[in-house]
Amino acid sequence: MSTAKASRTGSGESGASGSSYHHGNLREALIAEGLALAAEGGLEAVSIREVARRVGVSPAAPFRHFPDKVALMTAVAEEAMARFQVEIAAALARETSDDPIRRIRAIGKAFLDWARRNPTHFEIISSRRAIDFAGSASLGADNARIQAQMVSLLEEAGRRGLLRVDDPQLIQITGRALVYGLARMLIDGQFSSWGVAEDEAEDVMERSLDLFLAGLLKHPVTEERS
């Protein structure tokens, strides 16, 4: 079982640090410290040598599992994506309504909340500049799973006659661009230039998501859905 499948209980960047190395779980310990280093200092802070030092093994030991930094960072991205999947599942579990629009909102808000709390993990996965995304079976599968969830919900919304536009792919791309852009604005500190205080940014992002979803609806938003 890969570490991405084995450690889906954590979700925040701060939870990655402090992993203890025991014989037989070196790979998992290296990934955990890679997550912690990225959270503390960004992508540039991660090196195989520093990860080895923090785990307490020789500089050569990690190469038994990761031939280079790209391989290590890809494994780190897989773990970050696994934790993101946990957040999506939890958000959908909390949304008890079967209204597909409300469930789409739950996924969108989970994305924004996760990116806000885990900016470096968001950067690792979204930029893809430090990882081999195409070469990772789990990253591609997890990404496809999220897209399939969205398509299923949009198709259900279409069957119920809720949508003004019958184009799930375009809706999904537009929604992705929205939440990705909002997350980038937050992480890059751009909200202040739009007159949004730091403690107001989360509310603005959530209301932006609601504005997008309201624009999809064929009929006015009801009190129950708002």
Side-chain angles (χ1 to χ4, degrees), residues 88 91-92 103-111 146 149-150 153:
I88 291 177
L92 288 172
R103 298 185 73 77
I104 290 170
R105 184 187 190 280
I107 294 175
K109 189 172 186 306
F111 182 98
I146 296 170
Q149 285 178 306
M150 292 293 293
L153 290 167

Side-chain angles (χ1 to χ4, degrees), residues 135-214:
S136 168
S138 69
L139 284 174
D142 283 345
N143 194 54
R145 190 175 299 112
I146 296 170
Q147 290 185 11
Q149 285 178 306
M150 292 293 293
V151 168
S152 177
L153 290 167
L154 287 168
E155 288 177 345
E156 175 62 22
R159 285 192 295 270
R160 295 190 188 188
L162 300 176
L163 301 178
R164 293 193 303 112
V165 179
D166 183 21
D167 191 338
Q169 182 184 41
L170 180 61
I171 293 172
Q172 188 170 196
I173 290 172
T174 307
R176 165 70 179 185
L178 173 70
V179 294
Y180 179 87
L182 289 170
R184 279 255 59 105
M185 286 181 69
L186 179 70
I187 292 167
D188 294 343
Q190 294 183 18
F191 276 113
S192 60
S193 65
W194 293 87
V196 178
E198 184 177 349
D199 60 355
E200 298 173 332
E202 183 179 355
D203 178 64
V204 168
M205 290 193 297
E206 190 168 339
R207 288 193 291 120
S208 298
L209 177 60
D210 288 336
L211 180 63
F212 165 72
L213 293 174

Side-chain angles (χ1 to χ4, degrees), residues 3-20:
T3 186
K5 304 299 182 186
S7 55
R8 291 176 181 262
T9 56
S11 60
E13 281 188 331
S14 59
S17 186
S19 62
S20 58

Side-chain angles (χ1 to χ4, degrees), residues 5-225:
K5 304 299 182 186
S7 55
R8 291 176 181 262
T9 56
S11 60
E13 281 188 331
S14 59
S17 186
S19 62
S20 58
Y21 166 56
H22 301 286
H23 180 71
N25 73 341
L26 176 58
R27 186 177 189 279
E28 289 82 358
L30 293 168
I31 292 170
E33 289 302 336
L35 279 164
L37 272 170
E40 293 164 13
L43 300 180
E44 293 73 18
V46 183
S47 69
I48 290 180
R49 178 178 292 275
E50 179 60 16
V51 167
R53 185 192 70 78
R54 288 176 57 139
V55 171
V57 296
S58 72
F63 290 98
R64 295 200 297 268
H65 299 281
F66 306 109
D68 52 34
K69 181 177 175 178
V70 170
L72 172 61
M73 292 305 299
T74 301
V76 167
E78 290 170 348
E79 177 64 17
M81 177 68 91
R83 296 182 182 200
F84 176 40
Q85 293 270 22
V86 170
E87 297 224 6
I88 291 177
L92 288 172
R94 289 192 298 270
E95 180 50 72
T96 57
S97 171
D98 70 345
D99 183 336
I101 300 299
R102 290 185 66 94
R103 298 185 73 77
I104 290 170
R105 184 187 190 280
I107 294 175
K109 189 172 186 306
F111 182 98
L112 293 173
D113 289 345
W114 173 76
R116 175 174 52 81
R117 292 196 308 270
N118 303 279
T120 308
H121 296 174
F122 167 81
E123 175 71 22
I124 292 169
I125 294 173
S126 63
S127 74
R128 303 185 184 181
R129 61 187 173 87
I131 65 176
D132 181 11
F133 186 92
S136 168
S138 69
L139 284 174
D142 283 345
N143 194 54
R145 190 175 299 112
I146 296 170
Q147 290 185 11
Q149 285 178 306
M150 292 293 293
V151 168
S152 177
L153 290 167
L154 287 168
E155 288 177 345
E156 175 62 22
R159 285 192 295 270
R160 295 190 188 188
L162 300 176
L163 301 178
R164 293 193 303 112
V165 179
D166 183 21
D167 191 338
Q169 182 184 41
L170 180 61
I171 293 172
Q172 188 170 196
I173 290 172
T174 307
R176 165 70 179 185
L178 173 70
V179 294
Y180 179 87
L182 289 170
R184 279 255 59 105
M185 286 181 69
L186 179 70
I187 292 167
D188 294 343
Q190 294 183 18
F191 276 113
S192 60
S193 65
W194 293 87
V196 178
E198 184 177 349
D199 60 355
E200 298 173 332
E202 183 179 355
D203 178 64
V204 168
M205 290 193 297
E206 190 168 339
R207 288 193 291 120
S208 298
L209 177 60
D210 288 336
L211 180 63
F212 165 72
L213 293 174
L216 296 180
L217 297 176
K218 184 179 295 184
H219 305 292
V221 178
T222 64
E223 189 65 28
E224 180 182 356
R225 184 176 291 119

